[in-house]
Amino acid sequence: MADGSFRHETRLERRRRRARARLEEPRSRRGLRFLLLVVVGVLVAVALTRAPDALARMELFQVQEIRLDGARHLTVEEVRETAALPPGFSVFDERAPVARRVEGHPMVARARVSRRWPSTLVVEVEEREAVAFHATPTLVVVDREGQPLPLDPVLHRLDLPVVEAATPGGLRRVATEVARVGEMEPGVAAVLSDAVALPDGSVALHLSDPDVVLLYRPPLAPARLRRGLRVLTDALDRRPDRMPSAVDLRFADQVVVRWGPTPELAALPPTPNDP
């Protein structure tokens, strides 16, 4: 036990001597050590900052492939052309400008560009949805904002209603309503033949089965649409021998079923043949 106590005291004294030595170390030496640590830290930070630039110049990390996700109609070739990557573009280079250029394509609503090591860019897009043909008089595919889309109706086998409007605002209004009705009642969208933006701000939807027109002022609420369809069904049940010409939803808390000619219907175009 005495020997153990002696060894313990010796270690304690050794620690004290080392502590005194550190305290007695010249300030200049301590300052030099601190400065050396700072310099090493700065060099490491600079190296980490410059590393991507150095790696970007390596052929291994220069973009060799573009992958496209989320597209139905857009092709990789169209994305590559729109992205317009400069020669030597690397996966380390800024990708936000690439996404903005891709969003400049008329088919693209939103784009996101990520990288996949070592040399691939992944372009994820949300396409603008084709909702109708605009009679110009040739048929042009438009989205819900009435913006034209570069789609060939025959090549893509599009089956869409025809919309007609006298002004850009009217086109946007009727195209938006066609899209909304399709979201609210897919069954109505399936039999929607054509739609017109009327001069008074209302919209006329021409259904093919049954052959009837829905008149209303946008935006059409889902409950209002369902009520109009119920009234139409009831009218057909009551008078199966007489087809209504229109269901008018433009009056608050009323649904008016028309059997005779309606002046508004004169604006409706004839049902076109399939493109």
Side-chain angles (χ1 to χ4, degrees), residues 67-255:
R67 295 191 58 179
L68 178 60
D69 290 342
R72 295 178 56 196
H73 303 294
L74 202 64
T75 66
V76 174
E77 289 73 20
E78 289 175 306
V79 169
R80 183 179 292 110
E81 181 178 352
T82 306
L85 299 182
F89 189 87
S90 166
V91 293
F92 289 100
D93 290 332
E94 181 63 36
R95 299 185 300 277
V98 179
R100 287 193 293 269
R101 289 196 294 271
V102 173
E103 288 175 345
H105 192 284
M107 277 300 302
V108 178
R110 277 172 288 276
R112 178 178 176 272
V113 180
S114 58
R115 61 191 173 196
R116 185 167 297 173
W117 305 105
S119 58
T120 299
L121 285 186
V122 180
V123 180
E124 184 179 355
V125 299
E126 180 183 336
E127 287 187 344
R128 298 185 185 276
E129 183 182 1
V131 302
F133 295 120
H134 179 212
T136 62
T138 59
L139 296 181
V140 176
V141 182
V142 296
D143 67 1
R144 67 186 302 140
E145 299 296 327
Q147 296 299 316
L149 301 179
L151 293 176
D152 185 329
V154 177
L155 178 64
H156 295 283
R157 298 183 178 182
L158 299 176
D159 183 15
L160 302 170
V162 175
V163 296
E164 187 171 293
T167 65
L171 175 59
R172 182 168 55 252
R173 181 171 70 251
V174 70
T176 299
E177 285 305 302
V178 167
R180 290 185 66 253
V181 168
E183 294 164 355
M184 291 187 295
E185 291 289 340
V188 173
V191 296
L192 179 57
S193 172
D194 44 80
V196 174
L198 299 176
D200 66 352
S202 59
V203 167
L205 303 182
H206 182 197
L207 309 184
S208 60
D209 185 20
D211 186 5
V212 68
V213 171
L214 299 180
L215 291 165
Y216 66 92
R217 299 188 188 280
L220 180 62
R224 184 71 170 156
L225 174 59
R226 288 193 291 269
R227 184 183 177 191
L229 295 176
R230 286 197 301 269
V231 171
L232 173 60
T233 300
D234 182 68
L236 292 173
D237 290 340
R238 290 173 180 269
R239 298 290 302 272
D241 59 328
R242 191 178 180 191
M243 176 66 66
S245 60
V247 175
D248 198 336
L249 304 173
R250 293 176 296 175
F251 307 100
D253 300 325
Q254 295 184 40
V255 177

Side-chain angles (χ1 to χ4, degrees), residues 56-70:
R57 291 192 292 270
M58 297 178 61
E59 186 175 354
L60 175 65
F61 298 108
Q62 293 177 1
V63 174
Q64 304 296 326
E65 180 185 5
I66 293 179
R67 295 191 58 179
L68 178 60
D69 290 342

